[in-house]
Amino acid sequence: MLKQLIIKNFTLIDKLDICFCPGFSVITGETGAGKSIILGAVALLLGQRADSKTVKAGADKCTIEAHFELGNDELKPLFEDNDIDYDAGDCILRRELTAAGKSRSFINDTPVPLTMMRAVGQQLVDIHSQHKNLLLQEEDFQLSVVDILADDHGELQAYQQAFNSYRTLEAQLEQTRRDIEKARENEDFLRFQYNELLDAALAPGQQEELEAESEMLSHAEDIKGALYEASRLLDGNGDGIVEKLREATRALYNINNVYPDIAEAAARMESCHIELVDLAREVGAKAEKMDFDPRRLEEIDERLNKIYSLEKKHRVDTVEQLIALRDDMEARLDTIDNSDENLRQLEQQVVEMRQQCKETAGVLTAKRRSAATTIEQEMTRRLVPLGIPNVRFEVAITPKPIANDGADKVVFLFSANTSTSLQPVSEVASGGEIARVMLALKAMISGAVKLPTIIFDEIDTGVSGKIAEKMALIMKEMGQAERQVISITHLPQIAAMGAAHYKVEKQETPNGTTSTMYRLSAAQREVEIAQMLSGSTVTEAAMSNARELLRQSS
């Protein structure tokens, strides 16, 4: 419930601090007095885009602040998830707008993005202005009314999950068809490239091994000469290092008996001699085997040139990257080879998912049709007392191609008398009739969604007399059902019905024109309603009529 509204420096308002009551309240005032300004301020708290032109001339910024009493803890998880202090007794929404155009939003003094302000505000207040009557022209609105009153959130959610899966599969199918078509256009070239890489018989590390062998063969003569020289120095003509080391070892063993301390050195030297003999043999053998093979070198260079050419062609640097490309081409060719079967499987999945969508949509349709019958009966019951005794109201539900909101097209059909056929309500209903239809719908919806505060902005347009009184009774009943209803009205019959009565006035001051709003006392209320009945000149008859209206409404 809206408890208090504080406005500073907003268009024509210098400062306004007004408290609101539970139940049904009314706001009156002459045209242009500033009622729309107050509604605009509330709309900013509900997340409407701000305009710096609304800051009062000469002021640096404007502030709109509202205090709400939350009737339950439904919003508590949202507050906790966003690290906002939660106080069910006093929830504060505040919007600040500077003359430079900067806007800031706060909930319980915590800065929040405008989307958060909108998410909270829309669960606290619903403003029904005259332009919202145009919603009756929109099929989406009519469908949403049926869904709200059908309480089909679970069924709608299940359908939308199935529909989203269907659309995902459908998009995947279309993309697969495009991919297959594109792949087949390039299949010959792709297969040629793949076979070229396959024929290259590539292996990891192959390039490095071939480059090393090519380097060795290119220097075969130098290597062979070095090996022979090393072999000669080690064991050449019995005068090499091996023979000298053998003689040195023998010399040490000859003194071993008389000089035992040399035994370890002699053993080590013998071990070195054995190792050196083996090394000399190995070097000698390598020298014998080393030979320049021009055919092998030519073969290796041709192999390397092939690898370098492939790397340049495919813009890679290693054999491993070429192998990865080859494997990718193989996978793509396998996809092409198996594309018909893969496509058939995907098409079958799409068919099955579409059928599931239709079945889920059927469940949703059944619940909507059941609710439609109730809506028709309830709307007739509500509209007859509102001065349309021969009303016919029908919720026409016809099939349509499956979409995100189901497979139903919903149109509200209306006839105010027995001589005309049912037609879409927006095409045949007068302004006053549309206002009454919207009020009846709003009364039904408000009971379903449990909105704490509803503000009606001149919903009584086009009606008067007894009909206005009936509309006031509906709003009063809504205000008695644990919710707050505020009606901005020009009709005395509605104004007299409110438990609290507020007036908006425009005044001329030395600083310019200002708007203000205040709650009327009982005596002030009699005068206000009398003025609404008779105009600016209040007669005693008008005062008497005003008192009688107030008496009957109490």
Side-chain angles (χ1 to χ4, degrees), residues 189-347:
F189 181 60
L190 180 64
R191 201 171 292 279
F192 168 77
Q193 288 185 312
Y194 170 71
N195 289 331
E196 187 178 41
L197 289 173
L198 190 64
D199 292 342
L202 302 169
Q206 185 181 61
Q207 181 176 337
E208 292 79 3
E209 293 175 4
L210 290 172
E211 287 173 340
E213 188 175 356
S214 175
E215 186 73 10
M216 182 190 70
L217 289 175
S218 298
H219 297 83
E221 292 300 326
D222 294 337
I223 295 170
K224 189 176 184 71
L227 289 172
Y228 273 123
E229 179 63 15
S231 178
R232 184 188 67 75
L233 291 172
L234 285 170
D235 199 21
N237 299 322
D239 191 30
I241 295 172
V242 173
E243 181 58 28
K244 292 184 181 300
L245 187 58
R246 185 183 67 77
E247 292 175 358
T249 301
R250 186 184 302 118
L252 291 181
Y253 273 122
N254 287 339
I255 64 171
N256 186 43
N257 290 335
V258 295
Y259 186 44
D261 287 349
I262 202 65
E264 183 180 351
R268 290 170 60 196
M269 193 172 289
E270 183 179 20
S271 176
C272 288
H273 174 260
I274 294 169
E275 179 66 21
L276 203 56
V277 168
D278 186 60
L279 189 58
R281 289 173 182 165
E282 183 177 341
V283 172
K286 288 184 179 294
E288 291 295 330
K289 289 173 62 178
M290 176 54 62
D291 197 10
F292 174 66
D293 185 349
R295 290 184 179 179
R296 175 59 181 164
L297 181 59
E298 183 179 354
E299 180 185 325
I300 290 172
D301 286 344
E302 287 179 0
R303 185 89 177 109
L304 285 171
N305 287 337
K306 179 66 174 175
I307 290 173
Y308 296 150
S309 175
L310 289 171
E311 288 175 346
K312 183 178 180 180
K313 178 179 180 179
H314 295 284
R315 298 181 181 179
V316 298
D317 300 316
T318 66
V319 168
E320 285 71 21
Q321 289 174 312
L322 286 174
I323 292 172
L325 276 174
R326 181 197 66 198
D327 293 344
D328 178 64
M329 291 177 185
E330 183 179 20
R332 288 160 63 187
L333 288 168
D334 284 344
T335 299
I336 294 173
D337 293 338
N338 298 317
S339 59
D340 290 341
E341 179 59 28
N342 293 337
L343 199 60
R344 278 195 295 272
Q345 291 179 1
L346 197 52
E347 287 171 342

Side-chain angles (χ1 to χ4, degrees), residues 474-548:
I474 290 175
M475 289 185 277
K476 185 175 183 179
E477 289 173 5
M478 291 170 65
Q480 293 171 346
E482 297 183 356
R483 79 175 49 83
Q484 181 185 48
V485 177
I486 301 171
S487 177
I488 297 174
T489 182
H490 289 293
L491 297 181
Q493 294 88 348
I494 292 179
M497 201 73 71
H501 189 155
Y502 302 87
K503 183 172 182 178
V504 179
E505 281 185 338
K506 187 162 64 175
Q507 300 173 340
E508 298 296 331
T509 70
N511 295 323
T513 304
T514 63
S515 287
T516 187
M517 175 178 171
Y518 57 94
R519 183 174 179 179
L520 298 179
S521 66
Q524 290 171 323
R525 193 173 184 189
E526 288 180 4
V527 174
E528 174 69 7
I529 293 175
Q531 286 180 332
M532 296 174 75
L533 286 165
S534 63
S536 57
T537 303
V538 179
T539 64
E540 184 54 40
M543 287 293 295
S544 177
N545 286 339
R547 293 188 193 101
E548 181 61 19

Side-chain angles (χ1 to χ4, degrees), residues 74 79 438 478 491:
E74 288 183 5
F79 279 57
M438 284 301 293
M478 291 170 65
L491 297 181

Side-chain angles (χ1 to χ4, degrees), residues 28-39:
T28 60
E30 295 181 1
T31 300
K35 299 185 295 297
S36 62
I37 295 174
I38 294 168
L39 271 186

Side-chain angles (χ1 to χ4, degrees), residues 65 78-87 90-96 104-114 116-117 120:
E65 180 178 304
L78 182 62
F79 279 57
E80 292 175 345
D81 291 343
N82 289 275
D83 295 325
I84 300 173
D85 292 337
Y86 180 79
D87 184 350
D90 189 23
C91 175
I92 306 171
L93 271 60
R94 187 170 79 254
R95 188 92 180 268
E96 296 178 356
R104 296 197 299 169
S105 306
F106 302 84
I107 298 179
N108 291 340
D109 291 326
T110 300
V112 297
L114 190 59
M116 180 66 182
M117 175 77 84
V120 173

